[in-house]
């Protein structure tokens, strides 16, 4: 347990807001953080930064898991593509760097994350994936314009109604995440930058 | 229980996606919906539309309650002002109409919601509330530009650090809500339009 | 005549600029205002605010009447839809609230104005009316891009050349009105908010 | 009277809409057009294009004259600067070319119009005139943001309240004019291009 | 040689940065400037302003010549149309005024430059030229969106692959030029304004 | 020399336009490319893609070298920061990935490039460097608004007039580069992604 403690030791630099000590957190939140730490070898700062508000923390990660861990036609790598493409347009450092790492790992491709982040139209992805990202970016930037034609385009690429919801919900949820990361000045852990690049 | 049943009877028109029958929902979700119905006299469509995805439903409303029902310096009316001002810029029919009704009721003011929705700079609100909405709109529209100066401006109006988080989190959460409402074509219940208008 | 006098008594709050006393106005303007008062039961503030400049007042209302009272294929309700949809995008409190009231009355529909104001793409209107509003919004926001294809789209919905002019002229005229209302901080009369909602 | 007749002979090319024959116009409109022709040596196309709608024509020019011919602190050249600067941002060919000519003549300066049209911040105008155009452009592009601070800035440059109205009204009126010119595809007369350049 | 000397005498006003004396310039640059002066009768200020940095000057004009003097399917007038249309959107006074003059001369048309600058969609140019300018403006304003469909549209108008490169490169190069002219406050020579106006 | 040959073997995938064979290039260009290859161990694709047009290639790299290799107060890392921050806003995959690599190496910092690319306001850089990037982004996105106040801000951070030119010129030049990379669909070499991350 010493590692997260030392992580919080420098916590003043990972958020504009107070960062709680692991030991002071409710048990369920502390346990979730410890599980992540065991699996990843470090505690991603988003857990520590959002733990400042335990109830919001629980809702945030329940939402996250409902969208990112659920079954469905979208692969895990595709879900991360949505996060990475929309988060760069929202200029969210934490999300692009952390989820870029996850995307590289999920896709087993060291190049994909930077390509998708900067301009997915030029990325080495399928036409279906480009259509998915066209829609995700439209939801993220101008959801008020979404209409039947957008859904039809997705269906023409083999997506079904549930996939449409998934894409929209992931783009919407990370729009929330991007805004909170920018307002809190959430700092990405150094570990993320090189993960999955090997 | 017959009322929500009949509400779902016409459910095809309240969402682009399938709307579950109340009877088919998990007990916790059905009970939450019944409680709302008892209190309001009708089931706001957001409950039925989002119930299509029970896990996301639970996370969404847990997040909502954590932000909108928590204690803090922001009054309940002020929280609704944030929802209404940012949702109109996102062209979200459901959120402006439903939360406009709640704002009128919370503020006991039949005129406030339309003023805040259309141009809060001209609304009958305090300078402190205008500063709150300036910040909420910045978070909603360009969170990447938020910096120390914005926080200082808020503190100059008497807001503390926790209030800053609240404003940002409400603007961010309803950004998610606005996008899902636009993608699902969520329809506001007719009851909302005239509520609180005196 | 006492009512408009009392209306002007609190006139300092309805405009950033001086508001004339009814008694001081040229006869033609005073008479027009009195006719409106008789018909509506109150004097809409736009009359008092713009009366600060009698010549501009005359031209403004002559233009208004030429567009809104003329014969033609557009119904009166449709003309008000154009005002409401474009004025909300211009964040004009006076025009959305006052013409929202007129739209509810003309359409005999208590819900239509809020729907059209916030996102007409989700409103309970016909496909033809959506095409009309697509064009009106394009004229209001980016008239430099209007071309033959836009006219053809309208004709495909049964509009003729004179209707195209009408839609464009109403969107353009209220663009002027929106800007003057925002610069003068023109205040909507309380009467408008609930009109036609019953 | 033969000249305007010949002008209308090629009228099909000056507007997307029908252009009336001078002889068919109501007497007051025909007389106004003839007066302009006598003074200028040609009939500016805006008169012929808008004469398609006599009532709107009368209101348009009454408004125009109320703003552009009225007494006040703004010089005639300054009023034209407002037209030229805002019309180029609205990409209105007719207004920039026709009012550019008038600006050159009013200012007795062959260079001023192109400078003001393209980027008034680099034009050979006074700091006071730049402040005037900063405000005019704000009214034209984002009037919903106009607030007390803008008025104070103008007052700091010696403008009074009536000047503020004048600037705002000219920017607003030509916003209408720009939109109608773009929708009608109003063609500038060849005579304007070189006027006042000598 | 006295003319450029006198031109530099007033040089403080043509750039925000120091403007070198002709006599102090490296021989190759001085000679290029003298050649231009002989041909045009004056030294366009861009030469004096950019000569502040001799190496960048050489690269700039080598690039310019490679694009504007090369053989190819685009006429010289068409290349100038690209400069004029994109530079006005970038609000670059120097480029619109100087290249507007060159466009009038190349096209032997006194009206074309103002039309193309303000709104090329309304200019007296061919459908092929409008497609060329649609693409040039897209490259200038949102090159990240350029895709296969844009190239196909150009090919449908008879452009080949090398023409596509030419259009893109001219729009891109003058984007650089527009930015440097705006930052340096580069002043157009008075001679340009009336050139080619007949 | 076999490596660049093999690089060109797959050249069809690095550009939308024809990519020349090294052996077919003019000697000076081939030699420059070979020097780069010797130093880097591979041929960055920008050299092969732009070699399609030898004259433009020479001008492009002369300009590049004049800005990036010149002496001055800006460090080499700072120049690369300008490239990386402005290129991500222009969604240019090649420039962010290639110059991100160079920035990591110049700054001897494996984290700096991703931070600066995504949101430099949150990067681990000095206040002076943030002011530099504020200005660079303003030049890149809205150079028409640059004025004396921007220069004064930079001087307040210790930059002199020549530094201002350098920042502006680098932002402007890479604006050109970004547009050409997007239009050509220039592909970043795989080698860049992991360079300097170790």
């Amino acid at each position: 347990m010493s590692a997260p403690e030392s992580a919080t030791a420098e916590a003043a630099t990972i958020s504009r807001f107070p960062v709680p000590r692991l030991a002071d957190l409710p048990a369920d939140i502390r346990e979730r953080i410890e599980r992540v730490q065991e699996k990843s070898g470090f505690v991603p700062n988003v857990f520590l930064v959002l733990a400042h508000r335990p109830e919001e923390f629980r809702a945030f990660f329940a939402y996250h898991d409902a969208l990112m861990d659920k079954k469905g036609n979208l692969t895990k790598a595709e879900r991360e593509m949505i996060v990475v493409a929309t988060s760069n347009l929202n200029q969210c450092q934490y999300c692009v760097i952390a989820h870029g790492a996850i995307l590289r790992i999920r896709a087993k491709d060291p190049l994909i994350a930077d390509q998708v982040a900067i301009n997915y139209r030029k990325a080495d992805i399928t036409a279906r994936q480009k259509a998915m990202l066209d829609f995700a970016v439209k939801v993220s930037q101008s959801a008020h314009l979404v209409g039947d034609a957008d859904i039809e385009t997705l269906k023409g690429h083999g997506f079904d109604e549930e996939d449409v919801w998934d894409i929209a919900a992931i783009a919407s949820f990370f729009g929330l995440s991007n805004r909170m990361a920018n307002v809190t000045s959430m700092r990405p852990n150094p570990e993320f930058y090189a993960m999955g690049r090997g």
Side-chain angles (χ1 to χ4, degrees), chain A:
Chain A
M1 227 141 316
S2 61
E5 293 297 350
S6 69
T8 52
E10 63 175 24
T13 64
I14 69 168
S15 172
R16 176 194 298 282
F17 293 89
V19 177
R21 293 167 37 91
L22 254 203
D24 299 339
L25 286 171
D28 63 317
I29 293 180
R30 201 176 59 238
E31 281 157 25
R32 164 131 201 185
I33 292 179
E34 288 167 359
R35 278 201 312 280
V36 172
Q37 185 192 15
E38 250 168 72
K39 194 173 156 200
S40 312
F42 65 99
V43 181
N45 289 334
V46 65
F47 290 94
L48 298 170
V49 173
L50 295 187
H52 174 56
R53 293 277 182 99
E55 279 194 70
E56 296 166 41
F57 176 104
R58 289 182 192 107
F60 182 93
F61 287 104
Y63 218 139
H64 174 278
D65 296 351
L67 294 170
M68 303 305 276
D69 298 344
K70 78 183 276 285
K71 301 222 180 303
N73 295 323
L74 300 184
T75 67
K76 291 209 165 185
E78 286 169 344
R79 291 171 211 215
E80 297 296 334
M81 285 180 197
I82 296 170
V83 181
V84 167
T86 57
S87 297
N88 194 36
L89 291 173
N90 283 334
Q91 303 187 38
C92 178
Q93 210 177 82
Y94 187 88
C95 298
V96 177
I97 291 171
H99 287 272
I102 306 175
L103 171 53
R104 287 189 294 272
I105 290 168
R106 296 281 193 234
K108 299 188 202 315
D109 179 342
L111 309 189
I112 193 76
D114 294 340
Q115 291 174 1
V116 167
I118 303 165
N119 190 343
Y120 69 89
R121 298 165 200 87
K122 313 288 184 184
D124 292 323
I125 56 178
T126 64
R128 181 182 162 278
Q129 290 167 337
K130 281 181 196 171
M132 174 187 80
L133 294 176
D134 283 341
F135 182 66
V137 165
K138 187 167 186 178
V139 170
S140 183
Q141 306 264 304
S142 50
H144 62 285
L145 297 177
V146 168
D148 294 344
D150 298 299
I151 314 298
E152 288 316 301
T153 299
L154 287 172
K155 290 188 176 168
H157 283 278
F159 293 104
D160 69 19
E161 203 173 50
E162 295 307 311
D163 301 333
V164 172
W165 180 298
D166 285 347
I167 300 168
I170 294 169
S172 299
F173 174 78
F174 280 92
L176 179 167
S177 182
N178 296 163
R179 283 166 178 78
M180 288 308 292
N182 263 318
V183 173
T184 57
S185 283
M186 191 185 290
R187 184 183 170 78
N189 304 57
E191 288 86 346
F192 284 125
Y193 292 73
M195 269 171 65
R197 291 193 180 275

